[in-house]
Amino acid sequence: MKKALALLCALVLLLHALPAVADFNLNYFTENSSIFTIDVNKEKSVAFIETVMTAQELAFEHKYESPTQYSLLRNDILVLDYFSTNRSPVFRTWIYYCTTKPIYVHSVTFELNGTAYTFTDVASSDRVITNEQDTEEDLLIRYGGNNSDFLAKVMAEAASYAFSHYGDDGDPNVQPPKMKMILHGIEDIELDVPDGFWTDFALLTVALVTTESLGQIGKNTGTPCTIRQLDGAAD
């Protein structure tokens, strides 16, 4: 707990105080190609960095599950101006809600350690894909200075878990943090964030810290987020 709290404080300070570096360094990702993939879109001069974790590892369960494809939480880094010397990263979380019953999600809430974080403006009509068997609603959260409280806490929890579980002196029996996710639409769908999310988030967190890129993330404008304390939560 102390380790997570210390990391949290450091991340909060970094997100708010660090100057943005001139260029986003990709060497760390290319040197760790067994962990990360880089998908380049030459036409748009952007790239997408993801971990190699599979859809099955990142999948979450819900009551209207698709019979053909996983619902999952996947994090990535969008690299803007990829071919220039002024590359910049955007840290994001994608929610792929694949379902037999679309609920037309308009916002999503995460509940972590007694606090609820509700993100709005996560949906777009062009990211709802329907076929004969099911519907996929793709929801996007972008991180930045305006939602850095949530970002820093999740980074701290993810990194603390990863070091405790996978580190040199780690314990494979250490359990990941617990976080509830609620999809708000024509009805609310409540579920537990999958265990794999924490490893995926931790790997990208370590990468952003190693490449000294938190200052750039903190300078971005993220998805709107409101915060409230849950009933009975400690101050």
Side-chain angles (χ1 to χ4, degrees):
M1 181 60 68
K2 289 182 179 179
K3 184 176 182 179
L5 183 59
L7 181 56
L8 166 61
C9 294
L11 286 168
V12 170
L13 290 172
L14 287 167
L15 284 165
H16 286 88
L18 273 184
V21 296
D23 187 37
F24 180 52
N25 192 333
L26 295 173
N27 291 343
Y28 178 84
F29 301 97
T30 57
E31 291 168 0
N32 291 277
S33 57
S34 63
I35 300 175
F36 302 102
T37 63
I38 303 177
D39 182 18
V40 179
N41 184 320
K42 294 182 178 179
E43 182 179 343
K44 296 184 177 180
S45 190
V46 298
F48 306 89
I49 300 174
E50 296 180 345
T51 73
V52 296
M53 294 186 68
T54 66
Q56 185 174 5
E57 291 173 312
L58 299 173
F60 60 83
E61 299 178 349
H62 59 86
K63 63 180 180 179
Y64 299 127
E65 291 191 10
S66 164
T68 62
Q69 54 187 337
Y70 292 112
S71 293
L72 61 125
L73 274 165
R74 183 182 293 280
N75 307 290
D76 74 358
I77 299 171
L78 168 65
V79 185
L80 303 175
D81 298 319
Y82 179 78
F83 294 104
S84 77
T85 57
N86 194 33
R87 290 185 294 258
S88 61
V90 181
F91 189 31
R92 313 185 298 179
T93 293
W94 284 95
I95 304 168
Y96 299 101
Y97 174 63
C98 301
T99 180
T100 56
K101 182 180 179 180
I103 64 169
Y104 305 103
V105 180
H106 54 71
S107 57
V108 58
T109 295
F110 293 95
E111 295 183 357
L112 176 66
N113 297 336
T115 304
Y117 304 87
T118 298
F119 291 88
T120 54
D121 297 344
V122 298
S124 174
S125 59
D126 62 358
R127 296 202 302 266
V128 178
I129 305 164
T130 301
N131 56 43
E132 293 181 357
Q133 291 182 295
D134 51 31
T135 296
E136 177 179 329
E137 300 182 41
D138 297 342
L139 314 169
L140 177 60
I141 295 172
R142 298 178 178 86
Y143 296 113
N146 57 318
N147 55 37
S148 60
D149 185 74
F150 174 80
L151 175 59
K153 288 181 179 178
V154 175
M155 282 182 160
E157 292 283 354
S160 179
Y161 162 67
F163 286 126
S164 298
H165 186 91
Y166 299 106
D168 293 338
D169 298 320
D171 179 357
N173 295 315
V174 170
Q175 296 300 302
K178 296 298 182 183
M179 183 164 67
K180 185 182 296 182
M181 181 172 73
I182 305 167
L183 304 177
H184 306 288
I186 57 176
E187 69 173 286
D188 285 355
I189 302 294
E190 184 176 309
L191 53 100
D192 293 324
V193 167
D195 293 353
F197 167 85
W198 296 102
T199 301
D200 188 58
F201 209 97
L203 289 169
L204 290 168
T205 293
V206 171
L208 290 168
V209 171
T210 302
T211 56
E212 300 181 347
S213 301
L214 287 180
Q216 288 179 293
I217 300 302
K219 295 293 189 297
N220 292 336
T221 299
T223 301
C225 178
T226 58
I227 303 172
R228 65 180 174 87
Q229 294 301 306
L230 297 172
D231 293 341
D235 293 335

